[in-house]
Amino acid sequence: MSSGPIDLRDREPYTLDQFRVNNEHKDDLEYVLLSEGEIESRVSGLAAAITREYDSRENVDLYANCVLKGAMRFFGALIPRIEVRAPVSEGVIRASRYRAGKPGSKETEVRWLDRDLIEGRDILVVEDIIDEGYTLQAVIDHLEEYNPQSIEVATLFDKVSNRKIEIDVKFTGFTIPDEFVVGYGLDYDERYRNLRHLAVLTEEARNA
Ligand code: IMP
Ligand code: MG
């Protein structure tokens, strides 16, 4: 039985009126790609896969790191559902691609990582979404400098068709179309994180 990602690229989306969507957000959204309930059910499935993986290893010392800010909701739902027979601790990483004045910049700044806690431990990087892959690669490169025992990645969403660099991602929630999505913690210009479902933003809202 496969525990691979759920592929949404050819699935019929939901219309906005099929769910309860905050009026403040409604005009800016094209459609709902995933409901909160579907996301959370899949998070349970991911937690089970993560538990199986680490329970099959020896001497696990799991250190789960939330890549801020987009992964906060995912992290909060995921970690309590992981039930490994090993200690689990939690940390945060801030990663941002420098975009100001440099469109498409590949430079990524990585901050807030607690380097003293990384050596010899099993790092689980918890991401909201992978697009081209540069952000995650920068996080992994940074972590590797402090000699962890292992590094794995759990991402809730993956725009796999847009990937520019290859990254080994062990746990993926959903493969999604190449559209700009917001909600369930993901933002556009710091807005829409509080939207409960995952939705596609209109072109107009992105250009506003
Ligand atoms: P990458 O370096 O191209 O993989 O970009 C990944 C980062 O860009 C993610 O961690 C998000 O912060 C952001 N991002 C990429 N696509 C989206 C999206 O559709 N909605 C919201 N944020 C996104
Ligand atoms: Mg992110």
Side-chain angles (χ1 to χ4, degrees):
M1 205 179 71
S2 161
S3 61
I6 296 174
D7 194 337
L8 298 175
R9 283 173 294 181
D10 290 320
R11 197 182 72 159
E12 196 67 32
Y14 303 114
T15 59
L16 289 175
D17 56 11
Q18 288 175 314
F19 294 96
R20 190 165 154 207
V21 175
N22 191 332
N23 282 327
E24 179 212 335
H25 294 142
K26 230 167 191 165
D27 292 345
D28 299 342
L29 305 176
E30 204 85 61
Y31 57 85
V32 171
L33 191 60
L34 275 174
S35 72
E36 179 185 39
E38 289 174 301
I39 297 170
E40 297 200 330
S41 298
R42 179 68 188 131
V43 172
S44 290
L46 282 176
I50 292 167
T51 303
R52 279 195 300 277
E53 172 63 31
Y54 287 101
D55 273 349
S56 73
R57 299 186 189 186
E58 302 287 324
N59 300 318
V60 170
D61 185 0
L62 193 58
Y63 182 30
N65 271 269
C66 176
V67 183
L68 297 175
K69 301 173 194 171
M72 285 198 295
R73 269 184 194 53
F74 175 37
F75 191 83
L78 180 72
I79 304 306
R81 292 178 162 108
I82 297 174
E83 299 179 320
V84 288
R85 293 186 297 264
V88 182
S89 47
E90 302 180 15
V92 293
I93 299 173
R94 184 94 176 93
S96 44
R97 264 167 87 171
Y98 293 117
R99 290 183 200 265
K102 289 189 284 180
S105 168
K106 295 171 186 60
E107 290 290 305
T108 302
E109 185 191 33
V110 180
R111 289 182 294 151
W112 293 0
L113 165 151
D114 207 337
R115 62 196 66 176
D116 297 341
L117 297 180
I118 295 165
E119 191 170 343
R121 307 186 79 185
D122 298 288
I123 310 298
L124 179 66
V125 177
V126 180
E127 252 292 20
D128 51 353
I129 187 166
I130 310 174
D131 187 14
E132 295 179 333
Y134 296 111
T135 306
L136 187 57
Q137 189 59 58
V139 169
I140 292 170
D141 290 347
H142 211 84
L143 284 162
E144 275 173 347
E145 286 176 36
Y146 304 102
N147 302 312
Q149 172 158 263
S150 68
I151 303 177
E152 301 295 356
V153 176
T155 189
L156 187 52
F157 308 115
D158 192 350
K159 291 192 210 171
V160 80
S161 356
N162 215 17
R163 191 77 88 259
K164 296 288 194 314
I165 48 173
E166 214 177 298
I167 304 183
D168 184 21
V169 181
K170 197 159 223 112
F171 311 101
T172 302
F174 302 91
T175 304
I176 67 166
D178 184 16
E179 300 278 5
F180 198 88
V181 289
V182 292
Y184 201 77
L186 284 80
D187 74 311
Y188 173 66
D189 204 13
E190 294 301 327
R191 287 187 61 200
Y192 314 102
R193 292 192 198 276
N194 61 331
L195 174 68
R196 286 161 50 201
H197 314 294
L198 187 77
V200 170
L201 200 62
T202 62
E203 274 301 309
E204 300 79 70
R206 286 196 67 182
N207 297 325

